[in-house]
Amino acid sequence: MNSRYSLLLSAMCTAITLAAQVFTLILALSNAAYANDEPVEKSVKVAIQVGDGKHRVFIKQVLGEFERRYPNIAYELIVLRDVQRYPLMVEEWLAKGEGPDIIYWYAGQRIKHFQDMGQLQDISAFWSKNKLDQAFPKAVVDSIKIDNKAWAIPVTYFLWALYYREHSFKRLGLAVPTTWAETLHACKKFRENGIDLFAFGSKTAWASHAWFDYINLRLNGLSFYRDLLAGRIAYTDDRVKLALRYWRQLLDNECFNANYSSYTVWQAFPRVLHGLSAMTLADGVPQIDMPREIRDDIRMAYFPEITEAMPRYTVAPVNVFMVPAYTRMRPELEKMLMFLASPEFQASFNAPISRPAALITADRGSDVLAQETFQAIASSPGGIQYLDRDTDIRFANKTPAILVDFMQHRDVDKTAKDLESLRKEIFGPLLKK
């Protein structure tokens, strides 16, 4: 009996030892497999286009904070400086279904173009989980939503508004115009003193879009203008012609600098600094050297009211980070997306380019102009990106020439017909709503 018991006990011990060895082997193989997968599963590639080295340094510095927070997540930053080549690279990545996990891009129709082709990842679940609707202004949120789904993380915007020097108005005892009648009055008074009300540069032909955008928004409203840009309304519509007539009033009253064809939009801005023009419609203050007292004297104003009580819709292109369809949503990717939506990243990303951060809680410093710009967007009832971001790009590529020509010949009917001919070429017969 004792002998049988000893044999049984010995067999049991041997079985337990073998089981332990097998478990250890399985665990070792599992760990090895996990270790081999870790670099792939725990890495994120981010592509971005930046214009200068200073901006690139700022971005790398703030991403160093991500590295400190998540030392087990490797990231690769792909930076392209060429603004012409970058869109071609983005098109190529999305068409091939292979490339960076997160891509810097433009909101509005520019993301809808890729979404229509099924090349973008729907990030609505991530967006809702982190309550991001409350983190950004309404006008910014609208720019990344399609069919009430979220498709990108906003990072910055460019508010098109009237920028002016307070000194120029105070010197003539004039208030900044808030209505169309006040605008024409200010135009007359400045002209009597040899000063243009508005500085413009038609060498940057697409800048003419901003005037067409705002006059339509102030006159006809947001819903109408969105339908117009979507190809659902004819450009020979009386409301479009009325907008062109309002624009012609500014031209007929010599409210623009006479030599606007000699300037780009950025070259025209210094006319405001030097008191040659009172205001300019621009997407911000250019990054040029200027005395501190002049920089502190620059203020922002809303485009004047035309139709009484029309909401003050804004024109503000938004830049974003989007996730391609070929990218798998995973924990480390979501951590990077949350970091890109953080106050630290958004403030650091925008500081060197003097742009407002899209995030409501991002630090804006003590700059008065930055605060005014943010308040304009935060209080906006909605708006558009910009004509060339909210309509078919094939249409937007040809409209600047038509609008700049209008500023020369001022023929409303001809311009309306030219725009409608282009609309038919791009959109075809009128589309139903």
Side-chain angles (χ1 to χ4, degrees):
M1 193 72 176
N2 289 340
S3 176
R4 285 182 186 175
Y5 178 77
S6 296
L7 287 170
L8 181 60
L9 184 61
S10 176
M12 287 176 66
C13 288
T14 299
I16 291 170
T17 301
L18 286 171
Q21 289 173 344
V22 169
F23 177 78
T24 301
L25 179 61
I26 291 172
L27 185 62
L29 289 171
S30 175
N31 287 339
Y34 179 81
N36 288 335
D37 284 347
E38 190 170 12
V40 176
E41 295 298 318
K42 297 277 187 176
S43 66
V44 180
K45 289 183 181 180
V46 181
I48 191 167
Q49 186 273 320
V50 296
D52 59 58
K54 181 182 177 183
H55 194 192
R56 178 177 179 173
V57 168
F58 266 73
I59 294 170
K60 283 194 169 185
Q61 285 177 347
V62 72
L63 281 173
E65 176 59 28
F66 178 84
E67 204 168 17
R68 285 187 287 274
R69 286 187 197 177
Y70 307 105
N72 63 327
I73 302 176
Y75 77 86
E76 180 182 346
L77 184 63
I78 302 168
V79 180
L80 280 83
R81 296 185 65 173
D82 190 338
V83 71
Q84 303 298 328
R85 181 169 171 251
Y86 185 72
L88 301 177
M89 292 297 298
V90 174
E91 293 267 3
E92 183 180 329
W93 290 327
L94 295 178
K96 286 172 57 180
E98 182 181 351
D101 298 302
I102 300 171
I103 298 174
Y104 183 65
W105 196 237
Y106 319 117
Q109 282 292 322
R110 299 300 183 89
I111 56 172
K112 188 176 186 304
H113 168 71
F114 293 130
Q115 185 265 346
D116 284 344
M117 295 192 293
Q119 294 176 338
L120 288 192
Q121 183 78 251
D122 177 2
I123 62 168
S124 298
F126 167 82
W127 185 274
S128 299
K129 180 174 68 176
N130 293 288
K131 298 180 172 59
L132 294 181
D133 264 348
Q134 291 77 47
F136 299 96
K138 181 182 184 303
V140 172
V141 171
D142 287 349
S143 74
I144 59 90
K145 291 282 188 81
I146 303 170
D147 298 328
N148 208 34
K149 294 179 180 179
W151 298 90
I153 301 294
V155 64
T156 190
Y157 56 84
F158 308 76
L159 177 66
W160 281 85
L162 291 167
Y163 294 88
Y164 66 97
R165 284 192 63 186
E166 282 189 306
H167 172 76
S168 296
F169 283 87
K170 287 179 179 178
R171 190 165 64 86
L172 295 185
L174 292 171
V176 176
T178 59
T179 66
W180 197 254
E182 290 174 2
T183 300
L184 294 177
H185 173 71
C187 175
K188 179 183 177 183
K189 290 299 180 183
F190 275 112
R191 177 58 58 210
E192 288 172 355
N193 286 271
I195 300 169
D196 319 305
L197 179 59
F198 299 121
F200 183 65
S202 66
K203 278 189 173 181
T204 314
W206 54 260
S208 60
H209 284 161
W211 288 94
F212 191 72
D213 285 341
Y214 264 124
I215 292 173
N216 270 287
L217 288 171
R218 292 293 184 266
L219 184 62
N220 299 313
L222 181 59
S223 179
F224 166 84
Y225 198 48
R226 281 182 173 163
D227 282 345
L228 183 69
L229 296 182
R232 293 192 285 262
I233 295 175
Y235 280 79
T236 47
D237 186 282
D238 286 343
R239 291 167 291 184
V240 178
K241 289 184 178 182
L242 185 58
L244 291 170
R245 289 191 186 98
Y246 269 92
W247 193 354
R248 190 174 66 187
Q249 287 181 32
L250 299 180
L251 295 163
D252 290 345
N253 283 276
E254 300 181 334
C255 297
F256 295 95
N257 51 306
N259 59 347
Y260 63 77
S261 61
S262 302
Y263 293 92
T264 66
V265 69
W266 299 282
Q267 290 169 340
F269 200 103
R271 293 183 61 86
V272 176
L273 305 182
H274 299 306
L276 300 173
S277 300
M279 316 177 86
T280 188
L281 184 58
D283 65 351
V285 179
Q287 298 177 60
I288 55 177
D289 291 331
M290 67 182 81
R292 183 80 257 176
E293 62 270 20
I294 291 180
R295 176 63 178 78
D296 292 343
D297 192 45
I298 300 173
R299 290 291 180 271
M300 181 223 82
Y302 292 95
F303 197 88
E305 178 185 80
I306 300 179
T307 298
E308 188 176 356
M310 180 70 72
R312 285 198 297 207
Y313 299 117
T314 48
V315 176
V318 179
N319 288 0
V320 302
F321 286 101
M322 62 183 183
V323 180
Y326 59 73
T327 297
R328 182 172 62 84
M329 292 296 285
R330 53 193 191 274
E332 58 271 24
L333 185 80
E334 293 195 11
K335 285 183 172 67
M336 177 60 82
L337 290 175
M338 276 308 296
F339 185 76
L340 298 176
S342 70
E344 305 97 303
F345 178 83
Q346 298 233 341
S348 295
F349 179 91
N350 287 288
I353 54 175
S354 300
R355 297 293 184 188
L359 191 72
I360 291 173
T361 56
D363 181 21
R364 293 167 209 289
S366 58
D367 185 77
V368 175
L369 187 60
Q371 298 292 343
E372 289 176 346
T373 302
F374 170 71
Q375 287 304 322
I377 287 293
S379 62
S380 172
I384 66 160
Q385 291 281 296
Y386 198 69
L387 189 148
D388 66 10
R389 291 197 185 187
D390 274 333
T391 192
D392 191 299
I393 191 62
R394 297 169 299 167
F395 181 82
N397 283 340
K398 295 181 180 180
T399 47
I402 296 173
L403 296 177
V404 169
D405 282 349
F406 167 72
M407 294 182 72
Q408 293 286 345
H409 59 63
R410 306 179 194 180
D411 188 328
V412 168
D413 288 335
K414 175 182 176 1
T415 302
K417 287 177 182 176
D418 288 346
L419 289 170
E420 177 58 11
S421 176
L422 179 60
R423 188 204 65 77
K424 288 178 178 177
E425 177 188 329
I426 302 302
F427 293 98
L430 279 176
L431 303 174
K432 293 182 180 181
K433 291 185 182 181

